[in-house]
Amino acid sequence: MYVFVLNCGSSSFKYQLLDMSNEHRVAVGLVERIGMKDSVLAYEPAGGEKIKETADIADHEVAIKMVLNKLIDPAVGVIKSLSDIAAIGHRVVHGAEKFSGSVLITDAVIDALKENIPLAPLHNPPNITGIEAMQKALPGVPNVGVFDTSFHATMPPESYIYALPYEWYEKHHVRRYGFHGTSHRFVSERAAQILGIDKDRFNCITCHMGNGSSFTAVKDGKSYDTSMGMTPLEGIVMGTRCGDVDAGIPNYLAANVNMSFADIDNALNKKSGLLGISGVSSDMRDLQKAAVEGNSRAKLAIDVLRHRVLKYIGAYAIQLGRVDAIVFTGGIGENDIAFRASVVERLTTLGIKLDAQANNVRGQEVVVSTPDSPIKVMVVPTNEELVIARDTRDIVAK
């Protein structure tokens, strides 16, 4: 059973084709600059060379047709016919309270996604575009929506209710939703499997750290609390997003610095975080290099990030009561050896000790704490596409 997984943005999309008989990835790629001049299509079949082509791709519908043609191309294709694709799985960012799990896409589901656009104006419209384009390209093939927010649907009210007028929640859906749910779900389940603990009895803190970052307290295998909120802006310091800030700052800037709320929103999302503090880059690799070379603001950005990471780990450890593991994933979590070490070395209050030799790896499943540490610290590379493909397979099978 082949499942096509689509993660659609406004002018780009990532895709994978997976053979779910063995869960192997048979093709992967990316289309960028859709609707612009010199669009780029990247395609890489399993065991083959990466192909990169430049063309003017008018819209998502045209881009998807080009990708599907690559999959069946006699020279570089990986399947004989498009009829081999049994289902399409879509990453959908915001399901709000309407969707607590993955669902088969119907007209009613699409209508509900459109209703949720005010909650995710940057993400849900391209997600819908991808769904509708796939429905045209492969009519009759089932589509499944897998939501970033659904893993966090198990949070109790004390975790998701803001200290705001309660009618804002009742009338306007203002609450914490959380994101990166497929990643938190995958790495928490995989960590439990590695440690030989029943996932339904597993307590951990999952640390998804990349350009966008979020932490989740997982209690008995379910999301109990998470750092991102109603939008992906809240929580940990990120590449260009501010994370937690005083809610009065936008009003102060609007009143005293003559900034519009649109300008402030743009700055909080695209000019803040590691980039805003350092003035160098949103990429930790650039910051580490600049810090070594003596750039004090780059060092400060790294220090601020570490401070916030430790703050969340400490808070979630208290909330959970018992912590079996702390799990790092995402671009920074999986690959930044030095930053990971600098965090774990400060967790001695929890009895944790770093195994420096074990930590000296990138992108591998590994326990980086010593054997006598009461709480295991682990690196588990995430695989959100596999989660989407699994849910798609299971829903279609039913």
Side-chain angles (χ1 to χ4, degrees):
M1 177 183 182
Y2 290 98
V3 172
F4 187 79
V5 174
L6 188 66
N7 181 350
C8 208
S10 58
S11 61
S12 66
F13 65 77
K14 300 175 185 176
Y15 64 89
Q16 288 191 16
L17 183 70
L18 296 98
D19 180 354
M20 295 310 291
S21 66
N22 52 23
E23 297 192 339
H24 287 173
R25 187 176 65 190
V26 295
V28 62
L30 170 69
V31 184
E32 299 178 281
R33 296 177 55 82
I34 298 171
M36 307 177 199
K37 185 176 176 59
D38 296 330
S39 310
V40 178
L41 185 154
Y43 168 77
E44 185 175 358
E49 294 185 6
K50 186 174 183 179
I51 298 168
K52 204 168 186 179
E53 298 177 353
T54 301
D56 293 342
I57 302 176
D59 54 35
H60 287 73
E61 190 174 340
V62 172
I64 283 170
K65 286 180 180 178
M66 292 174 67
V67 169
L68 294 177
N69 286 336
K70 279 282 184 280
L71 295 176
I72 58 172
D73 185 281
V76 297
V78 290
I79 53 177
K80 293 180 180 179
S81 167
L82 293 180
S83 62
D84 291 339
I85 298 175
I88 302 112
H90 297 265
R91 180 205 178 204
V92 183
V93 168
H94 217 307
E97 291 185 316
K98 293 181 181 291
F99 302 105
S100 59
S102 303
V103 296
L104 187 71
I105 299 291
T106 63
D107 290 343
V109 169
I110 292 176
D111 288 343
L113 295 181
K114 290 178 179 177
E115 290 175 13
N116 289 340
I117 285 176
L119 294 173
L122 298 179
H123 296 93
N124 271 27
N127 295 160
I128 295 166
T129 297
I131 292 168
E132 293 177 336
M134 287 305 306
Q135 287 177 328
K136 290 180 181 178
L138 295 176
V141 178
N143 288 261
V144 171
V146 180
F147 299 90
D148 267 15
T149 51
S150 63
F151 180 65
H152 303 298
T154 55
M155 288 192 297
E158 58 266 31
S159 292
Y160 68 72
I161 290 293
Y162 287 118
L164 297 168
Y166 193 74
E167 58 266 25
W168 291 8
Y169 165 62
E170 293 180 304
K171 296 179 181 178
H172 308 299
H173 316 293
V174 175
R175 54 157 286 179
R176 180 183 308 282
Y177 291 100
F179 300 90
H180 293 139
T182 50
S183 177
H184 291 295
R185 176 179 153 197
F186 177 84
V187 299
S188 61
E189 290 180 358
R190 180 60 186 147
Q193 186 179 30
I194 292 168
L195 296 178
I197 302 173
D198 183 345
K199 71 173 184 177
D200 294 331
R201 298 177 58 84
F202 188 55
N203 285 10
C204 69
I205 301 166
T206 49
C207 309
H208 179 109
M209 300 189 67
N211 191 51
S213 298
S214 66
F215 285 20
T216 294
V218 178
K219 188 173 187 178
D220 295 329
K222 299 178 176 63
S223 176
Y224 179 79
D225 200 354
T226 194
S227 60
M228 281 183 170
M230 179 173 170
T231 75
L233 188 60
E234 187 181 2
I236 301 293
V237 174
M238 301 173 231
T240 63
R241 295 179 218 157
C242 59
D244 295 336
V245 295
D246 184 338
I249 291 173
N251 189 60
Y252 168 82
L253 293 171
N256 296 283
V257 190
N258 197 31
M259 291 180 70
S260 69
F261 280 105
D263 290 338
I264 295 168
D265 182 70
N266 182 63
L268 295 178
N269 278 283
K270 298 180 179 179
K271 299 179 181 179
S272 300
L274 297 175
L275 174 63
I277 298 171
S278 70
V280 173
S281 174
S282 62
D283 192 308
M284 276 288 282
R285 292 166 294 190
D286 297 334
L287 297 186
Q288 296 280 18
K289 182 175 182 293
V292 169
E293 293 171 350
N295 188 306
S296 60
R297 281 176 55 187
K299 181 180 181 299
L300 176 61
I302 296 170
D303 291 344
V304 170
L305 174 60
R306 182 188 305 109
H307 180 84
R308 194 71 58 85
V309 165
L310 293 168
K311 184 177 179 179
Y312 267 94
I313 289 175
Y316 285 168
I318 295 297
Q319 283 186 348
L320 291 173
R322 187 196 84 249
V323 183
D324 298 308
I326 298 168
V327 188
F328 287 94
T329 194
I332 297 172
E334 295 171 25
N335 298 298
D336 196 323
I337 296 168
F339 183 78
R340 214 164 48 215
S342 71
V343 170
V344 179
E345 286 167 351
R346 287 165 173 76
L347 297 177
T348 53
T349 302
L350 300 176
I352 295 170
K353 301 174 188 174
L354 176 70
D355 183 333
Q357 185 175 352
N359 186 55
N360 193 32
V361 296
R362 292 183 173 89
Q364 297 180 31
E365 291 183 346
V366 63
V367 176
V368 301
S369 53
T370 58
D372 59 339
S373 293
I375 298 172
K376 302 304 178 188
V377 181
M378 310 173 68
V379 178
V380 178
T382 192
N383 195 335
E384 296 171 86
E385 289 79 12
L386 182 56
V387 173
I388 294 169
R390 284 173 174 171
D391 278 12
T392 300
R393 173 197 60 195
D394 294 346
I395 287 174
V396 171
K398 290 177 183 178

